[in-house]
Amino acid sequence: MKYFLLLLFCLSLKTVFAQDENRHAAAQTPENIEMTAARRFEGRLTRLREALDKNDVSSMTACYANLLGDIRSAIEYYETNVPDSPKIASLQTIFAKFENFTFDPMKPGELKPYLVHFDDFLVLLKEK
């Protein structure tokens, strides 16, 4: 019987913690999501620059792939949640500049001119 009471107590705790997590998830406003995405993008861009300076091929490749993924995610976010946003066209224009570029980690110098486009994208993400 005492194990049954312990089990009921544990189950009740689970629902209390689940409700607390739901409140935290509901507190995520679009502004918070956008700020988080901008900070993550900025951090990854900084790591890409550091990898370029150190000539670290694996970090360059990972950072570049993550940044492109962030660009795709941001475009998808705006198309889904803010379809009438004027940012969408600008974001897509920047992404189009990367579509025809194939990053070769053995030639990191070819990526340096494209860092400007990442900076432009970051500015758009930080805009309100």
Side-chain angles (χ1 to χ4, degrees), residues 26-97:
Q28 288 287 340
T29 63
E31 293 82 21
N32 290 345
I33 293 170
E34 291 172 12
M35 287 176 48
T36 302
R39 276 188 267 133
R40 182 178 55 236
F41 190 85
E42 186 172 22
R44 288 180 176 170
L45 183 56
T46 301
R47 286 190 295 279
L48 177 64
R49 290 179 195 276
E50 290 170 357
L52 282 168
D53 290 340
K54 294 177 184 176
N55 203 22
D56 183 0
V57 174
S58 63
S59 292
M60 275 188 275
T61 306
C63 291
Y64 180 76
N66 286 333
L67 287 168
L68 288 182
D70 288 346
I71 291 173
R72 288 183 189 106
S73 296
I75 291 170
E76 181 181 325
Y77 172 79
Y78 280 103
E79 287 176 343
T80 304
N81 297 318
V82 194
D84 57 340
S85 175
K87 282 186 182 182
I88 295 173
S90 301
L91 297 174
Q92 289 173 337
T93 301
I94 292 172
F95 182 65
K97 294 175 182 175

